[in-house]
């Protein structure tokens, strides 16, 4: 009669101890490899959803590298896609110049630039001081850098462009780094997919621009329009507030 509760007790004890052990071992593991700080809670309205399933920051980075380093994709990006994509990007950048959101003397960054087609397009339209970052460098257009932890000083750029927001595991950190490295008054242009799901390498899904407006805390949204950008359907433009400007 006494054996049962004892058995139950020791079972429960073992269970909770293992649970605690698991939590303790998993948690620091995630912490340790996740150098970007945990994201701010984003958007109560559910229009931005982080895809589950990454056990660690390293597992996430590895998955991103799987795409970036895929030899077939890289071949296509640098050959068949090269001219076609540069033409389309150049058209987008020309339009931004006409709206005075970008100028020849803007210092410009392309985030998640892969082989640097956007950078080549910027240079073609006359924005010569432009560079890209990605996990894998592609000199001279793209230098190595993680968009969750940009390798640049505060207030470096006048203009930042990205079409990889959906790859951000920490959207607040992605945006925080843009706002940190933009000069006051600087412009960030994102191409995002609102009406269709991006790809299997995406780390989040975005259903409206509202979450962006929330997480661009140091900026104002100055333009939104529909575009046809390689599966991305919406262009959103933010301008970082000047120091004395109130939100
Ligand atoms: C900007 O650069 C382009 C391409 O080099 C050039 O055609 C254009 O005249 C320049 N615009 C200004 C305002 O300097
Ligand atoms: C850079 O910006 C971040 C975030 O705005 C701030 O916390 C940090 O103190 C700044 N660093 C320098 C060197 O100004």
């Amino acid at each position: 009669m006494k054996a049962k509760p004892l058995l139950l007790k020791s079972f429960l004890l073992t269970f909770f101890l293992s649970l605690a052990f698991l939590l303790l071992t998993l948690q620091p593991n995630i912490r340790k490899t996740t150098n970007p700080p945990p994201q701010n809670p984003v958007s109560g309205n559910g229009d931005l959803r982080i895809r589950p399933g990454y056990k660690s920051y390293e597992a996430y980075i590895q998955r991103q590298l799987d795409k970036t380093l895929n030899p077939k994709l890289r071949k296509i990006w640098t050959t068949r896609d090269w001219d076609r994509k540069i033409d389309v990007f150049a058209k987008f950048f020309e339009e931004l110049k006409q709206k005075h959101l970008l100028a020849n003397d803007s210092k410009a960054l392309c985030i998640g630039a892969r082989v640097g087609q956007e950078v080549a397009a910027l240079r073609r339209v006359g924005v010569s001081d432009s560079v890209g970052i990605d996990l894998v460098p592609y000199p001279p257009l793209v230098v190595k850098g993680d968009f969750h932890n940009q390798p640049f000083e505060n207030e470096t750029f006048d203009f930042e462009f990205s079409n990889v927001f959906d790859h951000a595991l920490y959207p607040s950190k992605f945006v925080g780094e843009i706002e940190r490295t933009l000069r006051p008054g600087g412009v960030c242009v994102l191409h995002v997919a609102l009406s269709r799901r991006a790809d299997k390498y995406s780390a989040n899904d975005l259903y409206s621009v509202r979450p962006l407006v929330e997480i661009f805390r140091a900026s104002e949204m100055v333009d939104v329009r529909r575009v046809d950008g390689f599966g991305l359907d919406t262009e959103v433009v933010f301008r970082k507030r000047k120091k004395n400007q109130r939100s």
Side-chain angles (χ1 to χ4, degrees):
M1 277 289 105
K2 266 196 153 176
K4 234 182 189 173
L6 199 66
L7 208 65
L8 189 69
K9 250 190 205 163
S10 58
F11 168 76
L12 284 178
L13 193 69
T14 319
F15 177 76
F16 283 116
L17 278 178
S18 332
L19 195 71
F21 177 75
L22 254 176
L23 285 176
L24 280 175
T25 46
L26 283 181
Q27 199 64 352
N29 217 350
I30 292 171
R31 287 275 159 70
K32 196 174 75 221
T33 53
T34 306
N35 53 30
Q39 58 193 14
N40 310 323
V42 283
S43 164
N45 65 28
D47 281 354
L48 175 57
R49 294 181 208 151
I50 307 303
R51 294 192 183 174
Y54 291 108
K55 287 206 211 76
S56 66
Y57 195 62
E58 268 144 21
Y60 157 77
I61 291 290
Q62 192 51 53
R63 177 131 178 92
Q64 297 302 314
L65 284 172
D66 287 346
K67 179 170 183 183
T68 301
L69 286 173
N70 180 321
K72 273 195 197 139
L73 282 176
R74 281 189 98 72
K75 184 86 194 289
I76 292 172
W77 292 337
T78 50
T79 56
R80 197 188 74 198
D81 267 6
W82 185 257
D83 289 321
R84 181 174 70 93
K85 289 218 170 174
I86 292 175
D87 287 347
V88 174
F89 282 127
K91 191 170 147 277
F92 286 135
F93 294 138
E94 282 292 358
E95 286 161 359
L96 292 166
K97 283 174 81 176
Q98 275 157 28
K99 294 184 196 171
H100 303 289
L101 295 166
L102 174 66
N104 282 6
D105 63 359
S106 298
K107 189 172 172 63
L109 174 67
C110 297
I111 297 161
R114 313 263 187 229
V115 295
Q117 293 145 341
E118 318 69 326
V119 183
L122 278 169
R123 293 182 184 183
R124 185 196 284 176
V125 303
V127 185
S128 49
D129 192 0
S130 44
V131 72
I133 52 167
D134 210 315
L135 293 171
V136 180
Y138 190 76
L141 299 178
V142 179
V143 301
K144 185 175 156 77
D146 178 353
F147 52 54
H148 288 123
N149 190 11
Q150 283 191 23
F152 304 109
E153 309 258 294
N154 291 2
E155 304 185 4
T156 299
F157 298 101
D158 303 297
F159 178 88
E160 299 192 23
F161 171 80
S162 187
N163 57 11
V164 301
F165 177 79
D166 61 294
H167 290 268
L169 186 59
Y170 301 98
S172 307
K173 188 65 183 155
F174 178 97
V175 169
E177 282 295 272
I178 292 172
E179 291 189 323
R180 180 181 69 76
T181 56
L182 269 183
R183 292 176 184 149
V187 166
C188 172
V189 176
L190 298 183
H191 283 182
V192 295
L194 298 184
S195 57
R196 64 192 283 270
R197 293 309 100 221
D199 70 19
K200 61 179 177 162
Y201 297 94
S202 300
N204 70 65
D205 291 289
L206 184 67
Y207 297 88
S208 81
V209 299
R210 275 185 301 171
L212 294 177
V213 174
E214 277 179 42
I215 54 185
F216 269 89
R217 292 193 302 182
S219 313
E220 308 288 347
M221 190 168 74
V222 294
D223 199 21
V224 187
R225 62 171 186 144
R226 293 192 65 84
V227 291
D228 183 6
F230 312 110
L232 306 178
D233 54 30
T234 305
E235 180 174 270
V236 197
V237 184
F238 288 89
R239 191 190 287 279
K240 182 175 169 181
R241 283 191 284 273
K242 303 257 170 68
K243 291 214 162 100
N244 52 7
Q245 191 183 341
R246 306 182 58 187
S247 55

